[in-house]
Structure formats: C-alpha cells, structure tokens
Amino acid sequence: MKIGFIGTGVMGTGMIANLLKAGNQVQVYNRTKAHAQKVLDLGAKWYDTPALAMQNCEVVMSIVGYPKDVEQIYFGKDGLLSGAVAGQYLIDMTTSRPALDQKIAAAAPAGVHILDAPVSGGDLGAKNGTLTIMVGGQKADCEYLTPLFKQIGQDVNWFGPAGSGQHAKMANQIMIAGTMTGMCEMLAYAKAAGLDLATVIKTVGGGAAANWSLDNYAPRILKNDFTPGFFAKHFLKDLRIALDEAARMKLELPATKEAARLYEILVDEKQLGNDGTQALIKLWWD
C-alpha cells in the first residue's frame, strides 16, 4: 500500500519503520526535515507539504504534538483537506480534542473517509509494533483498515463515530495519570524508608500493584534515564484535554486534577517538558 505519513517524532518514527518493514511505500512530511532522517534512511520518501505527501496514497496517517498542529496540517495552507480526494482514508493518530476530529470529519470532501485513531504503548510500543489503537469513525472503515493497523499495533478497538477514539484515549490517560503518580510516590516512600529500590520494584511488580508504568518506567528512573518514551509536555496536554472534557460532561476527576497539577509543576515551573513522563519523580528526588 502507498501511505502518506505526517509526523516523524518518537512515535511516528517507530510506526513508519514497521509500515516499511511490512512492505508499504511511505511518503512523509514533518515540520523539521532533519527529524525525518531516520525514516528517510529506512526508505521513506520526503515531500515538502502534507498535501504533497498524500498524493496518490490510499491511506494518510498523522501523529503530531498538539491539537493546534493537527489543525494546521488538516486545515492550513497545503494541508490534508486541501489535497484529499474521494476514496482516501485520513487517520488522525494524534492524541487530540474529540471536537477537532469531529470538525475534520464534517469538513472532509465527499467520499473521503475520516478516522481518529490515537494510540497507547509509548516509544516501545511504536518500535515493537505492539500499540493499542482506539478508533473513532465509521465502523466499516475501521474494519477495512484493521489489517493495516495490525502492522503497527496488536489491539485495535472501534468505539463509535468521529471523536470516540479520542474519548477512549482520554480514559486511557486518566488511568495512566494514576499509575504514574502512584509509582512516583511508591518510589519516594521506599527510598525514604531505606529500602532497596530494585527489589521493591520487582516485588511490587509481582503482586496486585503491577502495572505498565511500573514495568516500563521505574527501571528507567533507577538508571536516571529520563529520555522521552512520551514527552511530559504532551502528557500534560492530554490531562488538560481530559479535564476539559470531564468539565463539559459535569464530571469531577479529583485524582486526575492533582496529577495535572504535578505535571504543571514539572513542565511549566521546572521547564522539564522535554523529559519523559517518568521525570515526575524529580518533584520528590530533586
């Protein structure tokens, strides 16, 4: 399949590598060309705008940083909607606002299929092709694209019309907020009590407190490895979206609100937004 791909960051790079490995041709655009060099070296082809990168492609995927970036690549000059033609599938895999994906679906030219399909699994999931993919849009479109999704992920679920994939991702991020704060407080407590942290991680991970954050991020923390599998600034963006959506639904999420407050300290006050989400431990250890 010929695929257009917009966004060659941490997540996009791993996803493109797996699409190429599966035998697809991939045409890419990224705001900074130098950040696309890894996938260009693997065989992806560079184009200077989103509209050019999608030419002659049946499927176009995008995964960028913020809702404003999604708005730009879809609605901006030389954006995806300006180049879309009937029969193409446009898949926004950025974690973004549900209303924005609904806006994209409403603005799409006739015959263009629009899906929101945010992912979970971090840099390792993108690299290993084990992402969880949460899909909003037409169910038939999701079913048609599932074989393609399975080239980059292992679990694909359809949740409903446009924006529903984003709502599912918000539920996912709410859960992660709890596991990240729990992991950091657990490590802070164990360190203060004088326990061997590697043994604590192994023990806790073998019981009822086991979770993905503990398995994947606690070992990085012990190595002082704060490279981003997922940027702290992007996680804060996600938590803010989740809280905005909750407020719209008149739903109180006090634990998520506290997690957002802690990440605001990390990102806005300490200016550590380009660290991975595991850098939250620095609020205790620094």
Side-chain angles (χ1 to χ4, degrees), residues 205-224:
N211 64 80
W212 193 96
S213 296
L214 179 67
D215 290 344
N216 288 275
Y217 287 133
R220 297 189 194 190
I221 289 172
L222 293 198
K223 296 175 184 175
N224 285 314

Side-chain angles (χ1 to χ4, degrees), residues 1 3 19 22 24 58-59 61 89 91 93 113 115-117 119 129 131-159:
M1 186 176 284
I3 299 169
L19 291 170
N24 303 289
E58 182 180 359
V59 173
M61 297 175 168
Y89 292 81
I91 312 166
M93 308 189 83
H113 307 265
L115 299 93
D116 49 290
V119 300
L131 294 168
T132 294
I133 303 172
M134 296 157 259
V135 184
Q138 294 296 317
K139 187 175 185 180
D141 292 345
C142 178
E143 291 172 347
Y144 175 72
L145 291 169
T146 291
L148 179 63
F149 286 142
K150 287 295 184 78
Q151 294 176 11
I152 58 174
Q154 62 182 2
D155 190 20
V156 181
N157 291 288
W158 176 78
F159 285 94

Side-chain angles (χ1 to χ4, degrees), residues 35 69 108 117 141 147 170 226 246 264 266:
H35 294 166
D69 301 318
D141 292 345
M170 289 304 108
F226 300 105
E264 283 172 355
L266 183 73

Side-chain angles (χ1 to χ4, degrees), residues 7-30:
T8 60
V10 173
M11 298 297 291
T13 295
M15 294 160 73
I16 293 166
N18 283 312
L19 291 170
L20 289 167
K21 193 184 300 181
N24 303 289
Q25 298 178 53
V26 184
Q27 305 180 170
V28 302
Y29 167 79
N30 192 67

Side-chain angles (χ1 to χ4, degrees), residues 39-102:
V39 297
L40 296 179
D41 291 343
L42 292 173
K45 294 182 179 179
W46 172 264
Y47 287 81
D48 287 329
T49 69
L52 289 173
M54 75 186 304
Q55 285 185 340
N56 302 313
C57 294
E58 182 180 359
V59 173
V60 184
M61 297 175 168
S62 58
I63 184 162
V64 292
Y66 295 90
K68 64 182 181 182
D69 301 318
V70 175
E71 187 103 27
Q72 179 62 34
I73 64 170
Y74 275 88
F75 293 97
K77 184 177 182 295
D78 298 318
L80 294 175
L81 291 180
S82 72
V85 297
Q88 285 185 312
Y89 292 81
L90 274 57
I91 312 166
D92 176 27
M93 308 189 83
T94 313
T95 299
S96 183
R97 297 185 180 278
L100 178 52
D101 282 293
Q102 292 164 355

